[in-house]
Amino acid sequence: MDEIRMGIVGLGGRAIHGWIPLLQRMRGFRITAICDPMLALHDRARARVQNPSEVKAYARYEEILADPDVDAIGLTARCEEQGALAAHALEAGKHVASEVPAAHRLEDCWRIVAAAERSGKVYLLAEQCRYAGYIESWRKMVAQGQLGKLTLCEGQYFHYYVMKAFRNPKTGEFIHPDQITHHPEVECTWMHRMPPIHYLPHDLGPMLKVIDDRVVEVMAMSTDAPSAVHPTLVSPDMQVALMRTAKGVILRMAASFNQPHPEAEYHWQQVIGTKGSVEWRRSGRDLPKLWLADSQMFDKSGMEWRYERTDAPAEARGSGHSDMDYYVHASFRDAVWGLRPPEYDVYKAMETTAPAILAAESINQDGKKLRVPDFRPGNLRRPGSMPGS
Ligand SMILES: NC(=O)c1ccc[n+]([C@@H]2O[C@H](COP(=O)([O-])OP(=O)(O)OC[C@H]3O[C@@H](n4cnc5c(N)ncnc54)[C@H](O)[C@@H]3O)[C@@H](O)[C@H]2O)c1
């Protein structure tokens, strides 16, 4: 397969400004179909493709899955069924590259794993921050034992993103939450109801890569709903999960979509071990930091780590999100071509998704500590089967 024929599902901003232009720029991809139940968005997407007359447009998901000219689904839909859509595509024999988060229900995580195992098709969660330069550097330091035994790992994803909560169902136009009284036609989107902590994979994924570990227990807390910033939003302003990993590290991760924050606070992480610590920058003027216990360091030292990588190939530069967007598609392409399995395989993807879903469940159960299942096949589950079957 010289070219992977892609069907793009979900024609919002991420598809229009990210996936469609980038896939057309990268070697090895051709967009052959687009899909969104909202017909008003089809023309805008068509206008972005290089070969509009050759691209089929579908309103129904089943139709794009039945298209023999589609090898792979690029899932850029924002909906509660996102995980089920991915599983359905794998079951239909399509490869899947899915935007974050991967799923919003635990059963969909299992369905994705079982379908990927049964079909042999590639499933890739397109979380790009795990390819950042500093994440790679931290991963190496941890693997070499420079930070000692890890004890605490913290992270957050803050994104003041209230514009996505209400939408005109005919035009697809988003309406600001403070303006909805003037727009009786609006409908609530999934973002209106989504527990913010469901977005954890965006930061938990990179952190689990750094520490090479998986979460076994999770409990979480939430601020009250509705939002204190925009009372028309039913989602809370802040949710925080506390987790324990198989190697005994404590993780604390926060997620927030309703409250303003400075630019530098989108992503933030730190990793602390018995021999040292690394920390991402706290503000635009700040630097990432390193401290090593046995190096005569009286204080943390500023480091020139960036999202960008020093070893980025030409194809990566300018690809989006500080060049990181390139890596998800390159990894997907190489896996579909059979050159190498994705480093972020389906098990690792679900290991970052399930704790997020269970964190929201813990909040529903007043902070109860919940066990995270092991998605890898073993004595209790054969590859391709659902647990307990
Ligand atoms: N990795 C990143 O940095 C990054 C950045 C932005 C968005 N995202 C992710 O990308 C995805 C899309 O984000 P967006 O900002 O474009 O969202 P959006 O709300 O603007 O657009 C999503 C589109 O999905 C469509 N959709 C909903 N349910 C569908 C279904 N069942 N089948 C087909 N289409 C369906 C909607 O009609 C809408 O047009 C989300 O999952 C989001 O989390 C990731």
Side-chain angles (χ1 to χ4, degrees), residues 1-43:
M1 185 190 300
D2 291 342
E3 282 183 323
I4 304 166
R5 296 171 303 170
M6 297 290 298
I8 305 297
V9 176
L11 303 176
R14 187 67 178 136
I16 299 298
H17 304 297
W19 285 53
I20 292 177
L22 180 54
L23 289 175
Q24 294 184 127
R25 213 185 82 176
M26 286 180 66
R27 193 171 53 88
F29 293 104
R30 184 154 59 91
I31 295 170
T32 52
I34 53 175
C35 172
D36 197 300
M38 191 162 284
L39 296 176
L41 302 179
H42 286 197
D43 284 348

Side-chain angles (χ1 to χ4, degrees), residues 42-284:
H42 286 197
D43 284 348
R44 185 181 68 161
R46 258 189 203 286
R48 303 292 288 205
V49 295
Q50 286 158 352
N51 50 341
S53 61
E54 294 164 28
V55 173
K56 287 171 265 183
Y58 299 105
R60 291 182 57 240
Y61 191 53
E62 292 74 16
E63 290 172 340
I64 197 168
L65 293 190
D67 187 336
D69 295 328
V70 170
D71 303 312
I73 296 294
L75 199 50
T76 51
R78 198 189 278 278
C79 57
E80 189 174 7
E81 303 77 29
Q82 192 180 347
L85 295 178
H88 195 174
L90 292 164
E91 288 157 2
K94 310 290 186 191
H95 303 285
V96 175
S98 169
E99 262 299 351
V100 282
H104 299 282
R105 302 173 187 137
L106 203 57
E107 59 268 32
D108 291 341
C109 297
W110 280 115
R111 216 177 128 193
I112 290 170
V113 166
E117 289 170 341
R118 257 198 323 271
S119 66
K121 298 294 172 186
V122 174
Y123 174 87
L124 188 102
L125 181 56
E127 196 295 307
Q128 72 275 40
C129 292
R130 69 187 295 103
Y131 305 99
Y134 76 97
I135 292 293
E136 183 55 20
S137 178
W138 291 10
R139 186 194 67 76
K140 277 192 187 148
M141 293 180 73
V142 168
Q144 290 163 0
Q146 291 185 47
L147 303 186
K149 179 170 169 20
L150 302 184
T151 50
L152 177 65
C153 187
E154 294 186 287
Q156 71 188 37
Y157 184 64
F158 293 174
H159 191 163
Y160 184 45
Y161 214 32
V162 294
M163 267 316 289
K164 292 277 176 173
F166 299 101
R167 183 172 77 158
N168 179 318
K170 286 212 173 69
T171 64
E173 182 198 359
F174 288 103
I175 311 292
H176 191 278
D178 297 346
Q179 298 294 320
I180 59 165
T181 46
H182 309 300
H183 293 270
E185 76 284 5
V186 296
E187 65 176 18
C188 301
T189 69
W190 169 233
M191 270 302 272
H192 182 64
R193 290 181 291 123
M194 184 187 81
I197 205 75
H198 272 201
Y199 223 79
L200 263 195
H202 215 1
D203 280 69
L204 182 59
M207 284 299 92
L208 292 179
K209 178 179 178 181
V210 166
I211 69 177
D212 186 26
D213 208 345
R214 79 176 187 88
V215 176
V216 291
E217 287 176 336
V218 59
M219 57 204 294
M221 270 197 189
S222 177
T223 56
D224 291 336
S227 162
V229 188
H230 301 283
T232 51
L233 297 173
V234 298
S235 59
D237 295 326
M238 181 69 69
Q239 294 189 323
V240 180
L242 203 55
M243 296 166 270
R244 210 165 58 81
T245 70
K247 294 180 186 170
V249 184
I250 294 171
L251 285 161
R252 185 202 64 90
M253 295 263 159
S256 165
F257 288 101
N258 295 348
Q259 66 186 65
H261 57 86
E263 174 77 21
E265 288 211 329
Y266 276 95
H267 297 279
W268 176 84
Q269 303 99 359
Q270 71 169 339
V271 181
I272 298 178
T274 52
K275 287 179 164 183
S277 60
V278 287
E279 181 182 350
W280 189 234
R281 59 169 183 249
R282 273 294 189 188
S283 77

Side-chain angles (χ1 to χ4, degrees), residues 110 117 347 374-385:
W110 280 115
E117 289 170 341
Y347 303 111
D374 185 353
F375 287 94
R376 285 154 209 273
N379 290 340
L380 296 175
R381 190 185 69 85
R382 278 181 291 112
S385 64

